[in-house]
Amino acid sequence: WIMRRMPGYFHNFHCTGTDCRDNCCCVGWEIELDPATAEKYRRMEGELGERLRAAMYEEDGCICMGQTDGRCPFLDARNLCSIQQSLGADMLGEICREHPRYYAWFDGITEAGVGMCCEEAARLILSDPALDTFVTEDSREDNDCDYDPAVFDALFAARQTAFRLLQNRELPLGERLTLFLVFADGLQEYLDLDEPERMQQDIRQFSNEAYCRSMLDTLHARSRGDKNRTAHWRALLELVAGLDILDAAWKNRLEALSRDPDRLLCRCDAFAADAAPLAYAFEHGAVYYTYRYFLRAVFDGDLLAKAQLTVIAALILGICCMAEWEKTGTLTLEQIIAQAKTFSQEVEYSIENMDALAEASYQTAVFHTEGFVSMLLG
């Protein structure tokens, strides 16, 4: 027996079926079939079996389900899966059966969650004003992972500190994200030196309120003198807009924002005041990305890129919500959910785009802690 950890809302997720306005699980994605399901479909008799085999194709060693006009051919007129209706959920492929749930496997524990690419999952993640909590339960999974347990233990302790930083509602979210990123930047040095035991000193420091306040005072002073803040924003927006974006309207918005970010950013104070009652939603988004990716640095040693993803998601969500606020004159939870879902779909759920961001984390002209801090504190 091992343990499974998950956010407190995990078991509350239920597919909304015909009420879903997006159908992100069946539309616009390449649907890969696991080998066991593909074999079941190959052996199936009757008309449905023939349709299944006709829709299957192989690409790069993977078996996929072909789409018709960007939609799974087994969606009926009500956007329900005809495979599930005819054969039951057990006959769905693993991806279709589990989506939007995700899992990460470590020695002795599996971590589970629901992905923000799904509109109902995003609503579940972002809507509760209470702090995020995590629960554990017994699991029968048998994980066999290859990593240094000392690194895992250090990262796990560091992530607990990261959660405390991000959920400290005594501070504005920009300051919380700043401390989080500076914290991760220091931890990365210890990973590079293969000295995970030294992480404990940073954990102690960033758990000290006076230390964090002094750090913020110093960073605010530096940020005020940064004449390149607009250039940092433009570089980030151009980078994200230049990814493989499927939603043309979202891409156009990012491109428009990148041309003159100051036009919108000069209204930050007014936006922050209107957004304050919904600040918890932005916080939940940051905790989501930290929970999902932070510990995965145990496999590749690249913690800073994962922390940067949390910050990028928050910055892009913030400026896109500002654009919505400017257009409509108000900010609603539904607007935040829609923008968070779009970022997740377009960036987080594209291997190519995630790889592009990870690679860009080594390009100091765009991705560096000082630039992010300037954007967060500006």
Side-chain angles (χ1 to χ4, degrees):
W1 290 82
I2 65 170
M3 299 297 292
R4 176 179 285 192
R5 179 183 293 109
M6 66 211 74
Y9 53 72
F10 179 78
H11 289 304
N12 294 332
F13 173 79
H14 299 285
C15 176
T16 56
T18 56
D19 291 333
C20 181
R21 297 168 297 180
D22 198 39
N23 291 113
C24 72
C25 54
C26 309
V27 177
W29 302 82
E30 182 180 81
I31 303 172
E32 186 177 332
L33 296 174
D34 56 283
T37 301
E39 187 58 28
K40 289 180 185 178
Y41 291 173
R42 290 192 185 101
R43 296 182 179 183
M44 191 175 298
E45 299 179 352
E47 179 185 353
L48 184 55
E50 293 177 4
R51 287 180 60 205
L52 285 165
R53 286 186 289 277
M56 293 163 58
Y57 68 95
E58 185 170 348
E59 183 175 285
D60 298 329
C62 299
I63 305 298
C64 299
M65 184 72 71
Q67 299 204 348
T68 303
D69 297 327
R71 290 167 53 87
C72 175
F74 295 94
L75 279 182
D76 65 16
R78 297 176 298 158
N79 286 324
L80 295 177
C81 174
S82 55
I83 300 173
Q84 180 169 346
Q85 292 181 82
S86 299
L87 304 173
D90 290 344
M91 288 300 290
L92 294 175
E94 183 177 339
I95 288 178
C96 293
R97 188 169 59 248
E98 291 289 347
H99 185 82
R101 300 168 188 86
Y102 64 83
Y103 303 91
W105 294 272
F106 307 100
D107 283 340
I109 192 159
T110 297
E111 294 204 332
V114 290
M116 203 139 43
C117 67
C118 163
E119 67 178 32
E120 183 60 19
R123 186 170 293 108
L124 191 63
I125 294 166
L126 301 179
S127 296
D128 189 351
L131 295 173
D132 280 301
T133 58
F134 300 91
V135 297
T136 57
E137 60 185 32
D138 290 335
S139 172
R140 294 182 178 274
E141 293 158 295
D142 183 17
N143 300 346
D144 183 18
C145 303
D146 182 18
Y147 56 70
D148 184 344
V151 174
F152 178 85
D153 291 343
L155 285 172
F156 186 86
R159 191 180 65 172
Q160 294 301 106
T161 300
F163 287 151
R164 287 194 293 272
L165 292 172
L166 293 171
Q167 293 182 303
N168 178 9
R169 295 183 177 181
E170 296 297 315
L171 299 176
L173 185 60
E175 291 188 348
R176 295 184 243 168
L177 285 162
T178 294
L179 290 171
F180 163 77
L181 185 60
V182 173
F183 176 55
D185 196 341
L187 299 180
Q188 183 64 60
E189 180 178 350
Y190 303 140
L191 288 175
D192 293 342
L193 295 171
D194 195 22
E195 297 177 349
E197 67 280 358
R198 293 180 62 188
M199 290 187 190
Q200 289 300 326
Q201 65 190 40
D202 281 27
I203 290 171
R204 286 191 295 272
Q205 287 179 324
F206 280 86
S207 299
N208 182 286
E209 183 179 347
Y211 177 86
C212 290
R213 186 68 264 170
S214 176
M215 170 78 70
L216 285 171
D217 289 343
T218 300
L219 293 171
H220 271 292
R222 291 179 186 171
S223 176
R224 284 191 290 270
D226 187 358
K227 299 178 181 180
N228 296 314
R229 182 178 296 117
T230 299
H232 300 324
W233 269 108
R234 184 175 292 115
L236 176 61
L237 288 162
E238 288 176 350
L239 179 68
V240 177
L243 298 175
D244 183 16
I245 303 299
L246 300 178
D247 185 338
W250 196 64
K251 181 181 181 72
N252 291 339
R253 169 171 290 182
L254 292 172
E255 290 175 341
L257 289 169
S258 71
R259 286 192 286 272
D260 186 14
D262 278 344
R263 184 190 65 78
L264 192 58
L265 293 171
C266 69
R267 303 189 64 193
C268 271
D269 290 344
F271 171 75
D274 282 358
L278 296 171
Y280 62 84
F282 296 92
E283 172 195 296
H284 289 321
V287 171
Y288 162 84
Y289 282 101
T290 301
Y291 170 71
R292 186 165 185 177
Y293 294 104
F294 195 96
L295 282 188
R296 300 189 188 192
V298 74
F299 297 110
D300 60 15
D302 195 0
L303 177 64
L304 186 56
K306 294 167 180 57
Q308 287 173 342
L309 174 64
T310 294
V311 172
I312 291 166
L315 288 169
I316 296 298
L317 175 61
I319 198 167
C320 286
C321 285
M322 282 185 68
E324 284 285 299
W325 165 79
E326 182 188 49
K327 182 173 67 174
T328 64
T330 188
L331 180 69
T332 67
L333 181 61
E334 285 301 313
Q335 288 172 315
I336 299 173
I337 290 169
Q339 292 300 323
K341 179 202 68 175
T342 298
F343 180 89
S344 179
Q345 286 182 351
E346 295 288 355
V347 178
E348 184 191 10
Y349 275 76
S350 165
I351 294 174
E352 293 78 12
N353 288 343
M354 289 287 278
D355 286 346
L357 287 186
E359 183 177 344
S361 69
Y362 298 101
Q363 300 173 10
T364 56
V366 179
F367 279 52
H368 51 91
T369 296
E370 292 80 4
F372 282 122
V373 167
S374 179
M375 288 187 277
L376 289 167
L377 297 182

